Amino acid sequence: MTLPGAVIMGPPVRTGDTLVVTLEHYHTCAVAVSTLQTLWCRELRDLRMLGHGSAAIDDGVVVVSGVATALTPGLGEFLRLPVGLQANLLGKLLFPSYRDEGAGAGQILFALDLATGAVMWRSSLFPERRTVEGHSAGTAAIQDGLGVVILPIADTVLAFAPKTGAIVWGGQAHASRGPPLILGDQVIIAGRDGVIAVSYTHLTLPLSDLVKILVGAVSLKKKQEDKTIKKKKNQKKTADVTQNKE
């Protein structure tokens, strides 16, 4: 059998006899494992990099994230974006390149019906906050009817209702690419900035716990910076001694 689209970077996900595959650039397909029959394929042509993350399945709902392009936001949503991002998207739209194909607005979540592939909901646009080289990730974790996802380009972690797409809470992702870990009633993410953040599935992290985590991260960062400075000083001393000998 042959599926449309290009490379698959996120592993396919199986539930029962159904395998769900996300493919570059904008395809999501379901396959019957026993017969290798394609059940459905859904195209969302205003998105890119669907194959960079896996789908998540919960109670007949398939949740996928995608990288937004200049065509993703509607007019009202576009006008609410920062002026700099508006200009960037207009430039990509007027002068598209092979590499970005207009991508770079941010990321969105959407859900498909497992049985039919019909779109159940689409989130609003979460604007780009940082440049992510390589995989855009965005694989959701779902437990007990609550989904949590890290959107690396938007540098945002979100808790949401898989059935409706309603956002329960959100916060900074600390440059993490995810996916998050749900452990009991806690959500754990490991940030690229040295922060390990813990939130609760039903509400955001208490301030006292957040302060402890941030203080620990700052302390670790300070130690790393001191170590780097000390290493550079030692290298300079060695270079000076060598130069004096010559």
Side-chain angles (χ1 to χ4, degrees), residues 81-92:
L81 295 175
V83 175
L85 184 53
Q86 289 180 2
N88 182 34
L89 293 182
L90 285 175
K92 290 177 180 292

Side-chain angles (χ1 to χ4, degrees), residues 3-246:
L3 293 175
V7 66
I8 303 171
M9 299 184 189
V13 182
R14 178 177 177 176
T15 178
D17 191 50
T18 303
L19 189 74
V20 177
V21 187
T22 51
L23 307 102
E24 295 289 270
H25 292 290
Y26 41 74
H27 290 87
T28 305
C29 297
V31 176
V33 176
S34 57
T35 62
L36 294 183
Q37 175 187 358
T38 301
L39 302 176
W40 51 260
C41 280
R42 174 63 57 184
E43 297 182 3
L44 294 176
R45 290 180 173 267
D46 65 307
L47 301 178
R48 293 291 182 272
M49 300 184 183
L50 265 59
H52 281 229
S54 297
I57 304 174
D58 181 67
D59 196 21
V61 180
V62 180
V63 178
V64 184
S65 73
V67 175
T69 67
L71 297 176
T72 301
L75 179 59
E77 195 168 33
F78 177 83
L79 294 175
R80 291 193 296 271
L81 295 175
V83 175
L85 184 53
Q86 289 180 2
N88 182 34
L89 293 182
L90 285 175
K92 290 177 180 292
L93 188 61
L94 295 173
F95 307 102
S97 68
Y98 172 79
R99 181 177 179 182
D100 59 44
E101 297 184 294
Q107 287 179 276
I108 74 162
L109 278 177
F110 63 91
L112 306 176
D113 186 295
L114 178 63
T116 66
V119 178
M120 298 177 64
W121 54 262
R122 282 177 59 134
S123 75
S124 58
L125 171 67
F126 295 91
E128 178 185 28
R129 289 185 178 177
R130 71 185 187 97
T131 300
V132 176
E133 297 292 338
H135 301 327
S136 60
T139 301
I142 304 176
Q143 178 177 291
D144 298 330
L146 183 75
V148 183
V149 67
I150 291 171
L151 302 177
I153 293 174
D155 197 23
T156 298
V157 56
L158 298 170
F160 63 95
K163 287 284 188 182
T164 64
I167 303 300
V168 178
W169 53 260
Q172 183 185 358
H174 299 283
S176 175
R177 293 199 185 192
L181 171 66
I182 302 178
L183 188 63
D185 65 347
Q186 296 181 327
V187 178
I188 303 170
I189 65 171
R192 193 176 180 182
D193 56 4
V195 172
I196 296 179
V198 182
S199 300
Y200 295 95
T201 53
H202 57 287
L203 75 168
T204 52
L205 186 68
L207 181 60
S208 58
D209 288 354
L210 181 60
V211 169
K212 290 177 184 177
I213 291 171
L214 292 178
V215 168
V218 170
S219 176
L220 176 61
K221 186 176 181 181
K222 182 69 166 55
K223 288 179 181 178
Q224 292 173 338
E225 289 175 348
D226 290 345
K227 188 175 180 180
T228 301
I229 292 172
K230 185 176 180 181
K231 183 178 179 180
K232 288 182 178 179
K233 285 182 178 179
N234 290 336
Q235 290 174 342
K236 187 176 185 304
K237 286 181 181 178
T238 302
D240 290 343
V241 170
T242 303
Q243 188 175 7
N244 290 336
K245 285 182 179 181
E246 293 175 352

